[in-house]
Amino acid sequence: MNRKRIWAVAYKEWREILRDRLFFSMAFLLPVLMLMVLGWGISFDVENIPFAVLDQDKSRLSRDFLHRFIDSRYFSYRGDVQKAEQLDTLLAHSDIRFALIIPDKFQEKLLAGQSTAVQSIIDGVFPYRAQVAKGYVSAIINNFNAHLLADFIARTKGISREQALALVNPVHVQPRYLFNQALRSSWSMASGLMMLVLMIAPPMLTVLGVVREKENGSIYNIYASTISRGEFILGKLLPYFLISCINILILWCMVIVMFDAPFKGNPLFYFAVSVLYVICTTGIGLLISFLVNTQVAAVMLTMVITFIPAMLYSGLMMPLASLSDSAQLQAHAFPAMYYLRLTWGSFLKGLGWDALWGNVVALMLYAGLLWIIAYLNFHKRPRQ
Amino acid sequence: MSLHRTALWWRRMAVMIIKELKQLYRDPVLLVIIAYFFTADVYLAGDGAKITLYNATFVVIDHDHSAASRELIYAFRTPYFDFQGELADVKSAEKLLNNGEVLAILDIPDHFQHDLLQGKPVALQLRLDASNMSLATLMSGYSAELVGRFGQNYSLQRLGLSAELRQAVPLIDDRHRVLYNPNQTDSWFMSISELLTVITMLSMMLPAAAAVREKERGTIEQLMVSPLTPIQILLPKVLAMGLVIIGAVAVCLYGVMQPAFHVPIQGSAGLFFAVTALYVFATSGIGLFIASISRNLGQVSMLVLLIIMPIILLSGAWTPPEAMPAGLRYAMYISPLSYFIEMGYGILLKGAAIEILWDSLLGLTVLGSVIFSLGIWRFRMQSG
């Protein structure tokens, strides 16, 4: 290894990046934009669900019941209709996502001490939102039921209304949201997105840099030169690696400043593991760029290999426990999951080396393995 | 004469389309990647990813050890929750929560059964790992419902109101129905959303790459001096790639999504393909625009990535309009994917026909024409 040669390649690469102004600005802009767009864009808060009502009873009690929904911040009232078919049209057109049908004799039956049934129709296109909405509907109806039942018991058993209310609702759950007390989507998403962005951007830069030389033939200069394989790889990747390290810091600041996420862990530890992660993902890019010969193919392959697994099989969108077995296997064979644990551990949980060392070791192994494979796959005498 | 000229015009178009298809055919890596996107990628997204509560691991700290507490634990059952056993103290339980080994800790207080029998209100504490937002939301909703139902049944039984007598109690029975996806199969939503995203990416990337490659290699000069008009150079690229994409969509729909996930096609398949063709046309306009402002494929892929993110974000696929801030809601009108999502889900899942979808169709047509003309205009300006 000759340091001077590494330096020469790195300097050449750096000049090349600088001269392609669009590419250079993109290298910094893309990660920032990705974080902003996805951080604000993917929200798991389910609120303001638009809904409409068909009230066939139009009584005091039915209006009372309806107001439980109208007053809730989870629902947003879009008016009432006269016929059930109108609800179908509204649902099909995505004007509303939830419809409520209150039958006639609603008040009459309830006051007579009989049960009655309402119909709630939920748009199930996005199952997560449908499930959460269903939970809200049940909660409102259960709460209304508790009051009805308490009134009834108070009347029939001759006890006070408060006592009766305690009787019908004896247990309740007090949830405590650890690590994210206010249950803010942006805290988890924004910090988690560091994992996603740093999974996509570094390999993308790398493949474009290396495959460009392959596609326009300038790599033959390297093949013909005295520079060794290792020197070329190190020198070539150094500028991209540095850009990604700067991006770590930029993204980190954005998560804290723009998304108000807390950082409870050790900054030095987190920076070190982030650099390790960037080494891993740059290695993925390196491996890809030795496998393909055209830039389009390289970019596509990078998207395939990085985006989907990091988005879906890392624990970012859904917990690992609810993945299928094959998907879990894929998650463990990929660095994203380990880095996501390190990220949430550092940002939200305030954990350090003691609790997270296993993930760091996994990343180290991954980085080592990737670079060795990439090194072995790069030949100065390509078979054509 | 004019007939002859039209024939000649179309002949030239056909020759160019065949040229584009041949060029694509000769990049085997790219072909494999396109095939991968429309088969394995969609399959993986639909197969592994669930954003539903499934096997959420939890431990219990039971201070009461009574029949009632055991009954309560039993209420947290599979497939939603996965009981991992009892622990004696909070410390060791919180350690498990920190390490991500369990997702919730249920704390049952002393005198739980005693208080229940006395009719005193009891509070259960549930500590949830809220670093994953979607999961925490679902867990707290489900557990509140489970515990509420448990408590109500417990009291009613004690009051001698058994299940048969429930009819004689004023209660509202919620008959809910989830439309369009009655079993809330995640794979339907996920695979369709993935397919639409893949279409978006490829219909931007492929024509843009085909156009800029000519610039990069200098072959555009040859085309310029040929009798071809700029339209005849650009349109065949769009048509050729569009043909490939539509063919791949058919393979994906009938070869992957239907056999593997039983995704229904409630509406007209013909309409779906027509809408897809319109959409591919619209987004390839963006691709051409990108190709016109970039000099090499590196820039193209960066710009595609940069533009595709807001398009996906503003599409309503992950975050429906009602969950967005007001400003972004209006910005949705300029994302072509938002119309395509509305129509794609509308046709496939909701069985919507043209009477319902006409406004989205109109929107996409107008937006698509504007984008496409802009792309062509920009390219013409440049290549003179």
Side-chain angles (χ1 to χ4, degrees), chain B residues 207-260:
Chain B
V212 95
R213 194 169 38 205
E214 309 253 18
K215 277 166 87 174
E216 216 174 0
R217 299 203 177 145
T219 46
I220 191 109
E221 306 294 335
Q222 291 173 9
L223 294 174
M224 293 297 193
V225 296
S226 71
L228 297 165
T229 61
I231 298 271
Q232 279 172 321
I233 298 174
L234 289 180
L235 209 55
K237 293 186 194 299
V238 172
L239 290 176
M241 299 309 164
L243 274 178
V244 172
I245 290 173
I246 297 207
V249 171
V251 170
C252 180
L253 198 56
Y254 296 110
V256 177
M257 286 158 71
Q258 285 214 315

Side-chain angles (χ1 to χ4, degrees), chain B residues 138-216:
Chain B
L138 286 172
M139 278 199 298
S140 77
Y142 270 85
S143 49
E145 200 184 326
L146 286 177
V147 169
R149 202 182 315 139
F150 166 83
Q152 216 169 60
N153 283 342
Y154 205 87
S155 300
L156 289 179
Q157 259 169 25
R158 218 166 54 77
L159 288 171
L161 292 167
S162 59
E164 301 85 67
L165 286 168
R166 269 328 138 67
Q167 277 304 313
V169 176
L171 277 181
I172 299 171
D173 184 16
D174 179 23
R175 304 234 168 101
H176 55 225
R177 202 149 58 90
V178 176
L179 285 186
Y180 314 130
N181 187 351
N183 300 322
Q184 285 136 75
T185 319
D186 271 300
S187 58
W188 291 6
F189 172 77
M190 295 299 297
S191 62
I192 296 176
S193 137
E194 187 62 27
L195 174 65
L196 302 189
T197 312
V198 165
I199 295 175
T200 309
M201 193 172 77
L202 291 182
S203 61
M204 257 159 72
M205 192 74 195
L206 291 178
V212 95
R213 194 169 38 205
E214 309 253 18
K215 277 166 87 174
E216 216 174 0

Side-chain angles (χ1 to χ4, degrees), chain B residues 227-361:
Chain B
L228 297 165
T229 61
I231 298 271
Q232 279 172 321
I233 298 174
L234 289 180
L235 209 55
K237 293 186 194 299
V238 172
L239 290 176
M241 299 309 164
L243 274 178
V244 172
I245 290 173
I246 297 207
V249 171
V251 170
C252 180
L253 198 56
Y254 296 110
V256 177
M257 286 158 71
Q258 285 214 315
F261 309 126
H262 309 287
V263 173
I265 304 181
Q266 304 282 10
S268 135
L271 184 62
F272 180 72
F273 282 104
V275 166
T276 308
L278 181 66
Y279 179 70
V280 170
F281 174 74
T283 37
S284 59
I286 306 179
L288 289 183
F289 187 81
I290 291 174
S292 73
I293 56 171
S294 28
R295 269 182 292 128
N296 53 47
L297 262 164
Q299 297 182 338
V300 166
S301 32
M302 284 291 189
L303 283 172
V304 166
L305 280 178
L306 197 71
I307 290 182
I308 200 169
M309 301 268 169
I311 288 185
I312 294 178
L313 152 70
L314 292 172
S315 69
W318 286 100
T319 311
E322 67 265 17
M324 283 195 192
L328 284 183
R329 214 174 303 156
Y330 293 107
M332 281 185 73
Y333 289 109
I334 54 166
S335 168
L337 188 56
S338 69
Y339 303 100
F340 190 37
I341 287 267
E342 182 64 37
M343 288 190 280
Y345 284 121
I347 296 167
L348 294 178
L349 294 185
K350 299 184 178 178
I354 202 117
E355 298 93 67
I356 295 218
L357 299 174
W358 67 271
D359 50 349
S360 303
L361 194 61

Side-chain angles (χ1 to χ4, degrees), chain A residues 95-290:
Chain A
D95 287 329
I96 59 169
R97 305 218 181 260
F98 159 59
L100 186 67
I101 301 178
I102 303 174
D104 61 349
K105 297 193 183 149
F106 177 81
Q107 171 169 294
E108 193 185 315
K109 277 191 175 166
L110 287 177
L111 290 183
Q114 290 172 343
S115 69
T116 178
V118 296
Q119 231 189 74
S120 54
I121 307 167
I122 297 169
D123 177 348
V125 166
F126 193 164
Y128 165 74
R129 289 184 179 275
Q131 281 188 339
V132 177
K134 208 160 79 177
Y136 294 155
V137 174
S138 300
I140 290 180
I141 293 182
N142 286 344
N143 189 280
F144 195 77
N145 272 340
H147 283 93
L148 285 174
L149 205 58
D151 283 341
F152 177 74
I153 291 172
R155 248 183 299 138
T156 50
K157 304 267 168 180
I159 50 178
S160 81
R161 198 165 175 280
E162 280 68 41
Q163 269 178 311
L165 207 54
L167 261 179
V168 293
N169 237 346
V171 202
H172 67 277
V173 182
Q174 285 174 333
R176 267 186 57 203
Y177 301 108
L178 296 181
F179 320 129
N180 187 353
Q181 283 82 354
L183 207 62
R184 285 168 65 177
S185 201
S186 63
W187 280 20
S188 318
M189 272 324 272
S191 55
L193 279 171
M194 280 197 69
M195 175 276 293
L196 188 67
V197 175
L198 290 176
M199 170 53 80
I200 299 170
M204 201 59 95
L205 293 176
T206 312
V207 296
L208 286 171
V210 179
V211 180
R212 187 176 49 211
E213 295 230 26
K214 275 173 105 175
E215 205 175 10
N216 61 26
S218 59
I219 200 151
Y220 285 97
N221 297 337
I222 303 294
Y223 292 158
S225 70
T226 51
I227 192 167
S228 74
R229 294 192 279 173
E231 286 164 358
F232 171 68
I233 293 179
L234 284 182
K236 182 89 187 164
L237 293 190
L238 199 61
Y240 298 109
F241 172 70
L242 285 180
I243 291 178
S244 299
C245 287
I246 297 171
N247 280 335
I248 294 175
L249 296 175
I250 297 177
L251 293 172
W252 195 350
C253 288
M254 283 176 65
V255 170
I256 292 175
V257 176
M258 288 171 75
F259 293 96
D260 296 319
F263 187 83
K264 296 178 183 158
N266 179 348
L268 268 177
F269 171 73
Y270 185 64
F271 185 70
V273 297
S274 298
V275 169
L276 182 61
Y277 179 65
V278 165
I279 294 177
C280 277
T281 55
T282 312
I284 294 178
L286 191 63
L287 195 58
I288 294 172
S289 46
F290 292 146

Side-chain angles (χ1 to χ4, degrees), chain A residues 88 164 303 383:
Chain A
D88 291 338
M303 286 295 281
R383 269 161 278 147

